[in-house]
Amino acid sequence: MVIDTSPFYGGMDNFDRVFNELWGPLNISQRRVAYPPLNISEDADALYVRCEIPGVSVEDIDLTFTDSTLVIKGERKIEKGKYFRQERPTGNFQRVVNINAPVDVDKVKAVAKNGLLEIRLPKSEDTKPRKISIDIMN
Amino acid sequence: MSKDIAQTEAKGLPRMKPATDILETGDGFFIYVDMPGVRKEDLVIDLSDDELRIGGKSAYHGVANENRIHVEFGNVEYTRAFTLSHIVDREKIKATLKNGVLELHLPKAEKALPRKIQVELE
């Protein structure tokens, strides 16, 4: 068989966990709490939800947006064979993201690339900050 | 970006052991490694003697002008090594990267494949 001799051989023991915590990015807030891990960000035009779902084809991802709630559902299928080691998560997954901003639902777009799913939720026109000109009366 | 800056940034990435499945099928072994965010050009696979070493850096971009609200993952450097058994045919190892998963197929050498033996009746 193939033998794994990574310097971090074996499962996550306490030492590995402490080591990973120390070396993890500082701004990570909820690492390994839920699957799949996701990032949320925004710019002036849209909100972006990105999640890491390697090995999931687009057909197995189900995205729904209702009542300002984005639901990311899917399934990671298992390969057939005799397993020597299994660390990759498999089966159904679901994450719910509350979006507390009005979104233009018709223009929501999702792209998957290199195991990363990116969902772009454009902000609706009414909520965008607008410049109001003020006339000064003398 | 100068080469020096690029190297410093690469050094600063947290190292991570990617989640891996190793399984055997009739004709060989399959290794599946989760490496989301890694592009084909950033993937390194080295085979020397009996050791197969894989590495890669995830390259997420497009967040420079965005305001981060919630963060659970970021750029990392994946690294892992495997020792190959003598029954693997090293010449025929194949690697494919699809949807952020590296799939390695390690076929068994001809001599290691199970053979049917004819029993002759007298």
Side-chain angles (χ1 to χ4, degrees), chain A residues 3-4 8 10 23 27 29 32 38-42 50 52 55 76 82 84-85 87-88 95 114, chain B residues 14 16-17 20-24 34 37 60 66-73 80-81 83 85 99:
Chain A
I3 306 157
D4 182 1
F8 308 106
W23 286 89
N27 53 358
S29 51
R32 298 274 168 236
L38 55 85
N39 290 351
I40 306 167
S41 58
E42 68 168 337
R50 297 184 176 90
E52 279 188 331
R76 284 195 81 179
K82 179 185 166 192
F84 290 118
R85 177 178 286 270
E87 295 168 355
R88 299 162 67 226
R95 280 205 77 171
N114 293 337
Chain B
M16 198 175 167
K17 181 180 80 168
T20 302
D21 286 355
I22 303 173
L23 63 144
E24 185 181 2
D34 277 352
Y60 298 122
E66 292 169 21
N67 177 26
R68 293 178 181 195
I69 299 169
H70 180 84
V71 181
E72 291 180 6
F73 67 91
R80 196 143 185 176
T83 302
S85 151
N99 286 339

Side-chain angles (χ1 to χ4, degrees), chain B residues 48-91:
Chain B
S48 56
D49 297 331
D50 286 344
E51 194 182 66
L52 182 71
R53 189 168 279 277
I54 56 161
K57 295 181 189 94
S58 57
Y60 298 122
H61 53 86
V63 290
N65 303 320
E66 292 169 21
N67 177 26
R68 293 178 181 195
I69 299 169
H70 180 84
V71 181
E72 291 180 6
F73 67 91
N75 281 332
V76 291
E77 185 182 346
Y78 296 104
T79 179
R80 196 143 185 176
F82 307 95
T83 302
L84 302 184
S85 151
H86 64 279
I87 59 171
V88 170
D89 190 342
R90 282 155 178 70
E91 304 299 317

Side-chain angles (χ1 to χ4, degrees), chain A residues 90-102:
Chain A
T90 53
N92 295 315
F93 60 82
Q94 174 175 304
R95 280 205 77 171
V96 180
V97 187
N98 288 317
I99 308 287
N100 294 321

Side-chain angles (χ1 to χ4, degrees), chain A residues 12 14-26 28-33, chain B residues 14-15:
Chain A
M12 285 267 279
N14 285 337
F15 176 77
D16 281 343
R17 211 160 285 148
V18 171
F19 187 80
N20 285 342
E21 288 291 320
L22 286 173
W23 286 89
L26 295 170
I28 283 185
S29 51
Q30 265 195 350
R31 198 172 180 88
R32 298 274 168 236
V33 171
Chain B
R15 295 184 88 191

Side-chain angles (χ1 to χ4, degrees), chain B residues 11 17 23 46 74 100 108-109 111 117 120:
Chain B
K11 273 182 194 170
K17 181 180 80 168
L23 63 144
D46 271 334
K108 286 179 190 170
K111 60 182 180 187
I117 298 160
E120 286 176 23

